[in-house]
Each structure stands twice: as C-alpha cells, then as structure tokens.
Amino acid sequence: MLVIFTCINAHKDIEVDTRTILANIFSSGKECFIPTYDSKSTSMMMVKLQSLQDFENLPVTSWNIKQPQYSKDLQDALCTGGLDLIIVPGIGFTKDGQRIGNGKGYYDTYLKLCKEKMGEKFSTVALAFREQVVPSIPVSDHDMMIDEVIYPE
C-alpha cells in the first residue's frame, strides 16, 4: 500500500500532528510519501521517505514543515505507480469534504493531477480538530473535495 502523508508537523498548532501515524506507517511496512514544493510556483510533488529517521533528519521550512529540498530530479510518487491514500492538511473543513488551505493551491493542483493520472483509484482524508469543522466554506471551481474528514465529535 502506498500512502501519501502530508500533514506531519502541526503547522502553527492549527493542524493535527500526525507523527504517531507516520511511525505506524513505517512499523507496518507501508510506503510513505511526503510533499515537497517549489515556492516560486504551485508545483508540488510527493517523494518517498525511506524511514522515520529520514523524516527526523529533514530540514524545516518557513511553514514549520519538514520536507526534502524541492528538485526536479526527485521522482514524484505519480511516476512510480500511484497512490492509495492521501492525507490532506487544511485549516478548515466541512463534514461533506470542502476544504480551505493556506491559499497557495498546492494541494488542489496536486489532487487534480492525481485524478487526471489515476482516476478514482485513491482516497483523500483530512484530520481535523472539532473547531476546524464548520457548516460551510467558500469554494471555487478549482477547489478539490476531500473524501472523508475525520474529527472528534
């Protein structure tokens, strides 16, 4: 099973810290991919982590996210067979899967690319605090829906 794992570090305490899940992914023998992005564009790709130690050794970005240095030489997960699950970060969600991120469009662009290359062969999940789940969020045509929003009730 291939897993894209995107919200590893809690960004300014408004995203769920998922390091425990990351450790479980490696201990259960699953593959894990994390994002790296080009800050000059909305280009993002998911690259494979080999171990939890690899994650711990990554530099931290200005967004307080550990990630590999972006390089076009890195191989994106979409070039190695696709993905099964994408854990998508955000700052607000609706119960039916609308999402608002930080406004740069990285995840919407990447999810659209996944859909174009893989069809419906992957699932998206968001992990949220109760306070992040709201009745409605302003969305536009380019915003991608999340399959499932998991939060405490």
Side-chain angles (χ1 to χ4, degrees):
M1 175 183 223
L2 301 172
V3 177
I4 273 192
F5 212 79
T6 58
C7 46
I8 297 170
N9 293 28
H11 170 63
K12 299 179 184 172
D13 298 324
I14 60 171
E15 291 177 358
V16 175
D17 186 333
T18 53
R19 284 177 277 202
T20 303
I21 298 171
L22 179 66
N24 185 274
I25 288 171
F26 285 114
S27 69
S28 63
K30 293 180 175 45
E31 291 182 302
C32 180
F33 294 80
I34 64 169
T36 183
Y37 62 91
D38 179 8
S39 61
K40 297 175 182 133
S41 70
T42 57
S43 295
M44 184 170 78
M45 67 176 100
M46 302 293 171
V47 296
K48 187 173 181 180
L49 274 181
Q50 298 299 323
S51 68
L52 189 57
Q53 188 62 45
D54 278 356
F55 168 73
E56 295 298 340
N57 292 335
L58 289 172
V60 177
T61 69
S62 60
W63 291 75
N64 194 33
I65 299 170
K66 286 183 176 253
Q67 75 171 34
Q69 191 74 2
Y70 183 87
S71 167
K72 292 188 183 218
D73 295 333
L74 295 172
Q75 191 170 35
D76 189 355
L78 291 176
C79 298
T80 62
L83 310 158
D84 293 321
L85 175 66
I86 303 173
I87 300 176
V88 183
I91 57 174
F93 307 92
T94 63
K95 290 179 181 180
D96 65 348
Q98 293 175 325
R99 169 190 164 274
I100 191 165
N102 287 295
K104 300 286 186 182
Y106 290 107
Y107 284 93
D108 291 316
T109 301
Y110 194 79
L111 292 174
K112 183 177 181 182
L113 181 62
C114 289
K115 200 165 217 154
E116 289 169 3
K117 290 191 175 240
M118 297 173 19
E120 302 292 329
K121 295 181 182 179
F122 68 99
S123 298
T124 54
V125 173
L127 305 176
F129 297 113
R130 181 181 305 120
E131 299 80 10
Q132 290 176 288
V133 180
V134 296
S136 66
I137 289 176
V139 294
S140 63
D141 292 342
H142 74 273
D143 291 326
M144 300 296 290
M145 296 285 288
I146 304 301
D147 295 325
E148 189 72 34
V149 178
I150 301 170
Y151 63 97
E153 290 203 57

